[in-house]
Structure formats: structure tokens, C-alpha cells
């Protein structure tokens, strides 16, 4: 069911957005060559505890997950692009890391993701990351009342296709509110003018993710991590936004 939030409820969601943005910034700062992925999860866990927040991942067990996730942040490295389950791995120079984090504050959820390179970066990785960021911006710009979900999807796809990337639509954006995943689904490719109409009060996560040379993925043996079928690298950018009478509100905006 698609739910619309009142202006007062959207204001109540701001603390969750600020918290998620802050946790991503802090864990990204801690992600250096030699940092263990389990340490990043511990940092996020400590921040959740100290803020009195609630993890959206810890006991999360959807149909596509082999078991409850069991961690509080997704850490996807190189050919892993989504749902990366933190494990005993130390980051190496040049690793492309995606951090995806969702949590609830006072019963409201926010969801966001960032990709970056640890240490020295390849030009190909920087281009891929930049494309996801620009696609996210394009999707947000299209998130206006009177438009439809397809307008967001088409805006994202236009950026990706201009750079020669193909698009997987199995996983994409989604409604956000009292739970992490709700309706409507917001695919990263679609036709403008189609889909659910965007109305003030709709809160969604927009999340372009692309792989360097494929749009095919498979699930790792851990039952969660999604990897590219050909071993190429992936990047992912995500914000939770609220549709208003004017420009959208980016609830998970990060300072700087």
C-alpha cells in the first residue's frame, strides 16, 4: 500500500535522515586501507546504540535473503554492488566500497548509500561512481508533483545510457516510512509519463546502481551479497526524499 505523509510527519522524519547521513559519513571516514569490514559494522552499531536508534537491517529477512541479515550496514566491495554482508575482510588500496545504511529514529526510517574508492582510485571507478551520483541527482530533479515514477526512472536511465552502462531493474528504489521497504517500486529504468503519480507526501528512496560492463548479477554464497556476473565493479548512490508541493526534500542529505 502506498502511503502519503503529512507535512508534520515529514518533519518528524528529518531526524532519521540526519542520523543515517551522519552514520554514513562517519563510517566512510573510518574506511581506510587495512580497515576490516566488521569494524565498519561495529562503528555503525555503536552509533545506533548511542543514538537510541533501531537498525533496519539486523533482523531483516526478506524472501531474497538466505537468513536474517544479522549486521547493521551493507558493505559491498568491488564486484559486489548491493546487500554486501560485512565479513572478515580488510580493505585494500583501490577497493571500490559501497556503504548502504538504513535505520529508524522515533519510528521513522531513512535509507541512503554512498560509493567511494579506498586509497588510489582507477579512472574507471571514479567515472562509474560519478555516473551513479549524477543519475541520483537527475532522479531527484524529476521528483516533482504531477510527474510519475516513470519520470524518475527515465531520468536515471538517461544518465546511465549516456555513459554506456546497462541497467538491471531487479532492485531499485522504494517507498520509505515506518518500514524500510514499501510501495511504490522505483526502477532505475522506465518510460517517462508512466507509473504511479508523484504526490506531495510521498516519501521514497531513489537509488541508482550500475555495473561497469554488465547488468547481470548473482547471489554470493553468503546468501546476501549481490555480485556482477562478469566480475566487473559496481557503484550505488541513494537518498531518501519527500515529494512536496515544490522541490523535493532530501532527507538524507550529507553536509559537504
Amino acid at each position: 500500500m502506498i502511503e502519503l505523509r503529512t507535512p508534520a510527519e515529514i518533519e518528524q522524519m528529518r531526524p532519521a535522515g540526519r542520523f543515517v547521513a551522519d552514520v554514513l559519513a562517519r563510517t566512510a571516514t573510518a574506511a581506510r586501507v587495512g580497515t576490516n569490514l566488521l569494524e565498519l559494522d561495529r562503528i555503525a552499531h555503536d552509533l545506533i546504540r548511542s543514538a537510541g536508534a533501531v537498525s533496519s537491517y539486523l533482523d531483516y529477512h526478506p524472501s531474497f535473503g538466505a537468513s536474517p541479515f544479522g549486521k547493521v550496514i551493507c558493505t559491498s566491495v568491488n564486484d559486489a554492488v548491493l546487500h554486501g554482508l560485512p565479513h572478515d575482510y580488510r580493505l585494500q588500496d583501490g577497493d571500490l566500497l559501497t556503504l548502504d545504511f538504513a535505520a529508524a529514529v522515533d519510528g521513522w526510517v531513512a535509507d541512503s548509500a554512498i560509493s567511494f574508492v579506498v586509497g588510489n582510485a582507477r579512472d574507471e571507478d571514479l567515472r562509474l561512481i560519478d555516473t551513479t551520483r549524477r543519475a541520483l541527482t537527475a532522479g531527484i530533479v524529476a521528483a516533482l508533483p504531477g510527474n510519475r515514477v516513470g519520470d524518475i526512472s527515465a531520468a536515471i536511465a538517461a544518465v546511465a545510457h549516456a555513459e554506456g552502462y546497462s541497467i538491471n531493474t531487479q532492485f531499485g528504489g522504494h517507498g520509505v516510512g515506518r518500514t524500510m521497504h514499501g510501495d511504490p517500486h522505483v526502477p532505475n529504468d522506465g518510460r517517462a509519463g508512466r507509473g504511479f503519480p508523484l504526490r506531495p507526501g510521498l516519501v521514497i528512496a531513489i537509488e541508482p546502481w550500475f555495473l561497469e560492463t554488465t547488468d547481470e548479477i548473482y547471489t554470493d554464497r553468503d546468501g546476501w551479497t549481490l555480485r556482477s556476473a562478469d566480475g566487473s565493479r559496481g557503484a550505488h548512490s541513494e537518498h531518501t526524499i519527500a515529494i512536496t508541493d515544490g522541490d523535493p526534500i532530501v532527507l538524507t542529505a550529507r553536509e559537504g
Side-chain angles (χ1 to χ4, degrees):
M1 181 175 69
I2 296 174
E3 298 181 273
L4 300 180
R5 305 300 175 184
T6 66
E9 287 176 323
I10 291 172
E11 286 302 307
Q12 292 168 12
M13 297 183 76
R14 286 185 184 271
R18 287 193 295 266
F19 175 70
V20 166
D22 181 59
V23 171
L24 283 177
R26 293 194 189 197
T27 51
T29 298
R32 302 169 181 167
V33 174
T35 301
N36 196 302
L37 298 181
L38 294 175
E39 173 65 10
L40 298 180
D41 183 71
R42 186 195 65 77
I43 291 170
H45 208 143
D46 288 347
L47 291 169
I48 289 171
R49 186 181 299 111
S50 64
V54 177
S55 170
S56 296
Y57 292 164
L58 195 58
D59 298 318
Y60 187 52
H61 190 186
S63 59
F64 56 81
S67 61
F69 190 73
K71 304 296 182 184
V72 300
I73 193 168
C74 293
T75 55
S76 303
V77 181
N78 295 335
D79 65 317
V81 67
L82 294 174
H83 309 162
L85 187 64
H87 59 284
D88 186 13
Y89 174 81
R90 293 190 179 278
L91 292 167
Q92 301 179 27
D93 185 43
D95 277 347
L96 197 169
L97 173 64
T98 296
L99 299 175
D100 191 352
F101 181 71
V105 175
D106 296 328
W108 294 105
V109 175
D111 188 5
S112 187
I114 54 173
S115 290
F116 56 95
V117 176
V118 177
N120 296 298
R122 305 186 312 165
D123 288 342
E124 299 90 338
D125 291 342
L126 296 178
R127 174 172 166 261
L128 181 62
I129 293 167
D130 179 66
T131 303
T132 66
R133 291 175 178 169
R134 288 189 292 107
L136 175 58
T137 297
I140 293 171
V141 169
L144 298 172
N147 281 354
R148 292 178 175 268
V149 165
D151 293 295
I152 296 175
S153 302
I156 291 170
V159 175
H161 292 321
E163 293 295 335
Y165 298 120
S166 56
I167 298 172
N168 179 298
T169 55
Q170 290 173 260
F171 297 90
H174 49 87
V176 181
R178 293 293 189 181
T179 60
M180 176 171 58
H181 287 145
D183 294 326
H185 175 57
V186 186
N188 290 322
D189 197 358
R191 294 179 62 182
R194 299 292 184 91
F196 185 78
L198 304 180
R199 299 170 181 161
L202 181 66
V203 180
I204 55 175
I206 300 175
E207 49 177 314
W209 61 275
F210 309 133
L211 298 164
E212 190 173 8
T213 57
T214 185
D215 57 14
E216 297 294 325
I217 55 176
Y218 72 94
T219 304
D220 188 91
R221 287 178 296 176
D222 64 18
W224 274 99
T225 305
L226 296 179
R227 298 184 181 277
S228 67
D230 64 358
S232 63
R233 296 185 172 199
H236 177 197
S237 295
E238 177 182 15
H239 272 313
T240 296
I241 71 161
I243 310 297
T244 73
D245 290 321
D247 292 333
I249 298 171
V250 181
L251 294 168
T252 50
R254 294 178 288 275
E255 293 185 6

